[in-house]
Amino acid sequence: MLITDDFLPVPVPESLSATYLVPMAGLPAVGTKTAVRRLTGRLAAPVHALAGQMLDSPLMSVDTRPIGEFPELPPDLLTAFGATQAQLARLAAATHLVVVQAEYRPGWPPAHEWAARAVAAAVADTVGGDVVDVFGLQFLDPATALRSLPDQQGRIRLVDWVLVPYSSDADGLWFTTKGLRRFGLLELQTQAVPDQLTRAWGAVMTGTARRLLRTWTDGLAGEEVPAFVQLPVLATVTGHDIAVAYGNPEQHGATAPVLLRLELDPATDPEADSFLSLRPPAGHPGSAGRYFAAACATLFNGIQPDVRYARPGDAMSRAVATARSSLGDIRTRFLAGQLPPETQLVVKYGLPGDDGPEYVWAGVTSWDAAERIEGASASDANTDPTVRIGSRVVVEATDVVDWAVLDGTGVIEGGWTQAVLDAGERPAPPR
């Protein structure tokens, strides 16, 4: 095995397994093979055929057990991963579990996962029940489970298979993936991520997972399963990787690539998981958090700082007036928690400069007083050396010229001045 400073050898497990549960009150009224046949036309033909083949092989088992024979599923963790009260109630009322298990070798396609999820969804569909993904501790309704499976071209959305939970500590946010071990790869982690990057860094982790998973499965393409796969020490991620992982490749153009250093962090406890840690490249000056913020600014470049100025009566002035007239409403929604899940509110404001104001963006962290906004800068300012990516800023509401709500693909609401700039208007400085 060749080991160099450019590659990291990652061990490959001998086999992989998947387990899905279907809680139900009473025994199944429809046989498993009949349930799978009923999916004809609702599943891509290759996946439907795979499910049938696995069901007929010793690689898959389907058992119905009294629910008391299975370890109790933790309701707090199920809730943390999105379970509704109705789903938890159906679980509590269930008398039996249909247990679908499959095993397969590492590589692509992950036949164990695709076949087991398809069979469990078929069974749940016959009773109007739920699928429980034991690995992810997630409830899936049958339609959602079926939509997550490959289409006719074999494409999936990685976000349907890999979650990115996070927690907070004194150094910032700790992100991990939960799902790469389905494919035999170690989970990723990043530590000391600035708080304002909650949504953005989750998307970066997902895009990086997509890029590394391709390299991983390419290394497993031979007839024999290798003992190790060499992953690049410097992992590259682009906006396209993120868009593809979310199933929206058409929504993101090319961006400059971002480099992240990959390090193996083996677990010291045999019961704990090892991780592949994402860190700034060696020799990067400054803190890790600053690098992560700069990486996000590169990958989500739909909002950029600008040093352009508006003339009274032009499109830019109208855009500013529109944004300012709705500041009160967006503040109310922000404080009430009424913005879409996993989005970030940002504001654009002016910094004084010798040649006129420079306009920069900041992510809103609190807005208790109507006249004052606390946030974190989304860019480095040219005119003020204290305003750097990730630095804390206090913005007077009277200085705000625009606001926007962002998700992982860009602006989903607001951003009127940016729209003017993107349309090609270049207002001149006032005389």
Side-chain angles (χ1 to χ4, degrees):
M1 178 182 64
L2 177 64
I3 300 178
T4 72
D5 292 338
D6 298 326
F7 292 92
L8 183 68
V10 178
V12 180
E14 293 182 2
S15 65
L16 301 171
S17 62
T19 301
Y20 289 84
L21 309 176
V22 182
M24 60 178 60
L27 297 172
V30 177
T32 304
K33 290 185 178 181
T34 300
V36 171
R37 284 196 295 270
R38 291 181 178 179
L39 292 182
T40 302
R42 297 175 61 190
L43 266 182
V47 183
H48 190 253
L50 174 65
Q53 292 165 5
M54 291 282 283
L55 191 56
D56 287 333
S57 79
L59 296 174
M60 177 179 285
S61 64
V62 181
D63 300 313
T64 302
R65 306 179 193 172
I67 196 166
E69 294 183 5
F70 204 86
E72 182 182 3
L73 295 170
D76 53 341
L77 289 179
L78 289 169
T79 301
F81 286 110
T84 66
Q85 289 302 311
Q87 290 168 332
L88 293 174
R90 287 193 290 271
L91 176 63
T95 60
H96 290 77
L97 291 175
V98 177
V99 183
V100 181
Q101 295 181 300
E103 186 173 347
Y104 203 65
R105 57 161 279 176
W108 200 263
H112 59 298
E113 283 286 351
W114 290 356
R117 184 173 287 197
V119 170
V123 173
D125 193 54
T126 65
V127 296
D130 305 300
V131 175
V132 180
D133 171 13
V134 173
F135 180 91
L137 281 178
Q138 274 191 299
F139 273 95
L140 303 169
D141 63 77
T144 299
L146 294 174
R147 282 197 302 270
S148 70
L149 293 164
D151 61 14
Q152 293 288 354
Q153 287 73 45
R155 298 172 299 192
I156 62 169
R157 298 192 329 152
L158 193 60
V159 291
D160 292 329
W161 297 89
V162 176
L163 305 175
V164 187
Y166 64 90
S167 59
S168 181
D169 59 26
D171 297 323
L173 299 176
W174 174 37
F175 284 80
T176 61
T177 59
K178 186 175 178 60
L180 287 178
R181 283 196 293 115
R182 299 180 191 271
F183 311 103
L185 183 57
L186 296 178
E187 303 291 358
L188 306 180
Q189 72 171 356
T190 314
Q191 295 174 297
V193 178
D195 291 349
Q196 74 272 12
L197 301 181
T198 302
R199 171 61 179 168
W201 197 255
V204 173
M205 292 275 286
T206 306
T208 305
R210 182 255 177 184
R211 175 62 69 96
L212 290 174
L213 187 57
R214 289 195 62 180
T215 304
W216 175 255
T217 54
D218 286 347
L220 299 171
E223 293 185 7
E224 298 294 328
V225 177
F228 294 86
V229 167
Q230 302 268 26
L231 295 181
V233 168
L234 283 180
T236 303
V237 61
T238 66
H240 180 71
D241 290 315
I242 296 170
V244 171
Y246 280 81
N248 299 309
E250 71 285 351
Q251 292 188 12
H252 205 303
T255 65
V258 165
L259 294 177
L260 294 167
R261 180 163 49 95
L262 207 60
E263 289 187 2
L264 177 62
D265 279 330
T268 55
D269 182 347
E271 300 297 322
D273 293 328
S274 298
F275 285 97
L276 293 172
S277 292
L278 300 177
R279 296 190 169 96
H284 167 70
S287 68
R290 180 174 171 79
Y291 185 84
F292 298 148
C296 290
T298 299
L299 294 170
F300 304 104
N301 65 355
I303 287 186
Q304 297 290 346
D306 62 87
V307 200
R308 303 167 187 142
Y309 315 101
R311 295 185 302 272
D314 65 14
M316 186 61 77
S317 288
R318 292 192 296 272
V320 172
T322 301
R324 284 178 167 166
S325 68
S326 54
L327 265 184
D329 177 66
I330 194 61
R331 174 178 178 260
T332 299
R333 290 166 56 198
F334 172 79
L335 293 175
Q338 295 175 347
L339 298 183
E342 299 184 340
T343 58
Q344 170 74 50
L345 174 63
V346 295
V347 293
K348 186 179 188 179
Y349 65 103
L351 292 171
D354 293 339
D355 298 320
E358 175 187 5
Y359 294 103
V360 293
W361 292 89
V364 178
T365 56
S366 66
W367 198 346
D368 296 334
E371 68 276 7
R372 189 171 294 104
I373 304 166
E374 294 186 16
S377 181
S379 59
D380 290 344
N382 296 325
T383 56
D384 188 339
T386 67
V387 177
R388 291 292 176 260
I389 292 175
S391 63
R392 179 181 178 275
V393 293
V394 177
V395 180
E396 298 297 324
T398 53
D399 293 334
V400 172
V401 297
D402 201 356
W403 60 264
V405 178
L406 310 180
D407 68 4
T409 61
V411 178
I412 62 171
E413 186 179 352
W416 294 275
T417 64
Q418 195 68 34
V420 172
L421 295 171
D422 291 344
E425 179 171 321
R426 296 295 182 267
R431 296 183 180 278

